[in-house]
Amino acid sequence: MTQTEATRPAHAPADHPKIKPAKVGVLLANLGTPDHYSYWPMRRYLGEFLSDKRVVDYSAWLWQPLLQLIILSKRPFSSGAAYKSIWNEEAGESPLLTITKDQTTAMAARMKTRFGDDVMVDFCMRYGNPSTRSKVREMVEAGCTRILFFPLYPHYAGATSATANDQFFRALMDEKWQPIARVVPPYFDEPAYIEALAQSVERAYADKEDRPEILVCSYHGMPQRYLTEGDPYHCQCQKTTRLLKERLGWEDTQITTTFQSVFGPEEWLRPYTVEEVARLASEDGKKKIAVIAPAFSADCIETLEEINEEIKESFEEAGGEDFTYIPCLNADDTHMDALAGVVERELRGWLDLA
């Protein structure tokens, strides 16, 4: 009998359900992706995303009519066009989905080497497919009595880490026999993560004939109000930039922190990336800059389209000449080694880590 075959407990009656050998699940989670860039898939995806109270916390009676009647009648067209410009046509999916699959494969290989068949690795999306609920169900059916849930966000934010955790816990509510669960904490200051970021910067700079004059660390934005209400995201982003600067051995003038993806009428965390790169070119005379997005574990619409197209255009229109986008860490070996190290640490007590 193989390890994966289900058996009845010893001395159990003949009609007792078979039980599969226990294993540990590692479930990676990212934000999500539409199934296609056409109107209806985009509308479904945006509707789910923008209806999340963690993302937009306005009163439903005020927000939902505006969302359903106005925003979702127009935004699927503009967002769809943006997705179309970066779509992985060969695979028929968004780059985020392609990269998350690669990350999962890389993590599974590391766990296989370390723990054999005792660990099952898979991924889910907070919005869209594959859903968190479906992947929790698959892990339980496969015999996972313990699940380590890993939101792939280096920094904690209510609109990213917390809502991913919320959905995971909702999925557990559906299970008759709930697995024991752990959630991976933010890893924004993990030395191995900072090292992976630093190496990506060093590789990008080594490929440039003329070194960029400043590195812009562009993080996804959030309303300023969230910071005053206790969300630690802003402080964690600032610490990542500081640790990266120290690892590179740079001066304060060589690196800066900005925030992108502003949405709605509220004041968001500043400075805004799209404005700051223009100011660097027009006021500070910086003609050569590089931009990196440390808050994203995988390239997506916010990096491939917003940074590498919109923000680049803002810089060049203001007089900038050389714009370098440094890709996310994606499935880079150094990155995956860092994430695997975090996973191994969080699995302590569940598996033999001698």
Side-chain angles (χ1 to χ4, degrees), residues 58-233:
Y58 301 148
S59 298
W61 67 267
L62 174 67
W63 175 244
Q64 282 300 320
L66 178 63
L67 176 64
Q68 300 298 330
L69 298 177
I70 299 177
I71 296 174
L72 291 181
S73 66
K74 299 178 180 180
R75 186 154 180 171
F77 291 108
S78 58
S79 294
Y83 268 97
K84 184 178 181 180
S85 71
I86 64 165
W87 201 254
N88 182 348
E89 295 287 359
E90 182 178 352
E93 61 192 25
S94 73
L96 177 64
L97 183 54
T98 302
I99 293 165
T100 306
K101 287 178 178 178
D102 291 342
Q103 291 173 326
T104 303
T105 299
M107 181 65 75
R110 285 163 171 77
M111 294 298 104
K112 177 78 171 179
T113 299
R114 187 72 174 85
F115 303 112
D117 294 326
D118 291 337
V119 175
M120 173 182 179
V121 179
D122 208 337
F123 76 96
C124 64
M125 298 293 183
R126 170 60 184 90
Y127 314 104
N129 297 306
S131 69
T132 306
R133 179 170 278 106
S134 69
K135 289 302 179 177
V136 168
R137 181 90 280 276
E138 287 182 19
M139 284 192 161
V140 171
E141 290 180 343
C144 293
T145 57
R146 303 173 188 267
I147 296 179
L148 178 67
F149 186 67
F150 194 168
L152 292 174
Y153 307 109
H155 312 81
Y156 175 92
T160 53
S161 312
T163 190
N165 293 340
D166 290 346
Q167 196 73 349
F168 175 57
F169 298 141
R170 290 189 195 102
L172 293 180
M173 292 171 65
D174 292 339
E175 295 303 323
K176 183 70 68 178
W177 185 358
Q178 285 185 330
I180 305 301
R182 288 179 181 172
V183 173
V184 174
Y187 55 95
F188 63 95
D189 56 356
E190 285 283 335
Y193 161 68
I194 299 298
E195 179 64 27
L197 282 177
Q199 289 188 22
S200 73
V201 172
E202 290 170 340
R203 287 194 300 268
Y205 275 46
D207 289 339
K208 301 291 293 184
E209 185 173 340
D210 293 320
R211 181 186 176 94
E213 298 165 87
I214 190 168
L215 175 66
V216 177
C217 295
S218 181
Y219 298 86
H220 198 288
M222 69 163 52
Q224 177 72 25
R225 171 172 56 88
Y226 290 13
L227 171 60
T228 60
E229 291 174 348
D231 195 302
Y233 177 74

